[in-house]
Amino acid sequence: MSMYDDQNVLAIRFTILLIWTQRNLHGFSGHHRLGRIHAAEAVTFYFHKDVMAQTSNTATVHPVIERNDHHSFMEYALKQARLSPAAHAEFCVGAVLVDSQVNRILSAGYSMELPSPVGDQGNTHAEQCCFIKVALAHNLPPAHAEDHIRHVLPARTVLYTTMEPCSHRLSGNTTCVERILKLKGVIRSVYVGIRQPSTFVRCNDGMKRLQEAGIEVRITEDMKEYILNVSMAGH
């Protein structure tokens, strides 16, 4: 069973527990509504602990890549993208977070790897999965991980992503650009494999918005065809 399958099982368990809690528990202090909220929070807490255990138990040993070998880091991100479930309404994207000061991979992720409630309802993007894994590794809340991990990320973190970070989402979920901008100052550089195709959003300006905010953005030019083929799996 893959980590993606494990997380789906956990999500189902969480949903069942939460429904049961809301229907059957009537409060820690005698107040029905308040009790349901506390109970739901407790279930969510233990679900997050379960996810942390799963993430730890299935942790990948990341490869050691030479400093500034951007091609190899992007290859590793592409390896993550290949793990994404093929879907006609989603792109298969991979991402890698790197501590450039000590040349160490902090986390890696791919599209739809982590389901809600830890990730987004529908599709948790690869960049967000990287942030969630950093949060879990430091026992921080995984929801909106970018709000919690600034103080644990190294000062010169680099993000590699096979596709331009999204600046618009049809689902209404927080965009990857917004998440990255919340980490401006620690994420200094973003390396992109390809621009986002206009398949779903006609005018994605993720790279432009990051550059305007002072984050260095570069495209790795030598892997575009391979990345595009993987990205469009299922289309």
Side-chain angles (χ1 to χ4, degrees):
M1 181 179 288
S2 70
M3 182 177 178
Y4 178 73
D5 294 328
D6 290 339
Q7 301 293 353
N8 274 332
V9 170
L10 288 172
I12 293 169
R13 287 167 55 191
F14 170 83
T15 302
I16 293 171
L17 280 170
L18 186 56
I19 292 172
W20 184 91
T21 299
Q22 291 179 330
R23 289 182 178 177
N24 294 280
L25 296 185
H26 294 278
F28 298 101
S29 60
H31 192 291
H32 179 72
R33 182 173 178 273
L34 183 60
R36 285 192 301 172
I37 292 172
H38 288 326
E41 288 176 347
V43 172
T44 302
F45 171 77
Y46 284 108
F47 174 80
H48 288 166
K49 288 187 68 176
D50 218 354
V51 171
M52 282 186 249
Q54 288 284 348
T55 303
S56 175
N57 291 338
T58 59
T60 301
V61 177
H62 300 299
V64 177
I65 297 174
E66 291 187 13
R67 188 183 302 275
N68 296 324
D69 185 353
H70 305 302
H71 177 90
S72 294
F73 281 119
M74 189 59 72
E75 275 191 331
Y76 189 51
L78 181 58
K79 181 179 179 180
Q80 305 306 307
R82 290 193 176 101
L83 299 174
S84 302
H88 73 279
E90 309 287 352
F91 294 121
C92 295
V93 179
V96 178
L97 270 182
V98 178
D99 178 353
S100 65
Q101 291 181 310
V102 298
N103 202 45
R104 179 171 63 93
I105 293 175
L106 301 171
S107 64
Y110 56 87
S111 302
M112 296 183 280
E113 180 181 8
L114 300 175
S116 64
V118 174
D120 283 342
Q121 186 71 35
N123 177 12
T124 304
H125 286 190
E127 298 92 329
Q128 184 186 0
C129 289
C130 286
F131 299 158
I132 288 172
K133 289 179 181 179
V134 171
L136 293 176
H138 291 85
N139 202 26
L140 296 170
H144 302 287
E146 64 278 0
D147 292 332
H148 309 292
I149 63 174
R150 166 178 286 276
H151 70 285
V152 299
L153 281 179
R156 300 194 68 84
T157 299
V158 177
L159 172 65
Y160 293 84
T161 177
T162 57
M163 184 178 290
E164 176 184 17
C166 64
S167 60
H168 303 279
R169 295 190 67 173
L170 299 178
S171 64
N173 291 330
T174 303
T175 68
C176 292
V177 166
E178 291 173 292
R179 297 183 194 280
I180 295 168
L181 288 178
K182 287 188 176 183
L183 296 168
K184 177 186 173 183
V186 287
I187 293 182
R188 306 286 185 90
S189 302
V190 177
Y191 285 82
V192 174
I194 59 172
R195 299 294 299 264
Q196 185 179 124
S198 59
T199 309
F200 306 118
V201 176
R202 180 166 295 181
C203 298
N204 186 74
D205 59 351
M207 289 177 56
K208 179 182 177 183
R209 287 184 57 189
L210 293 176
Q211 289 169 329
E212 288 176 345
I215 296 175
E216 178 187 34
V217 182
R218 296 186 180 182
I219 293 183
T220 54
E221 298 288 347
D222 57 343
M223 300 178 64
K224 289 183 178 180
E225 183 177 348
Y226 298 106
I227 291 173
L228 183 61
N229 287 338
V230 172
S231 300
M232 303 296 284
H235 289 227

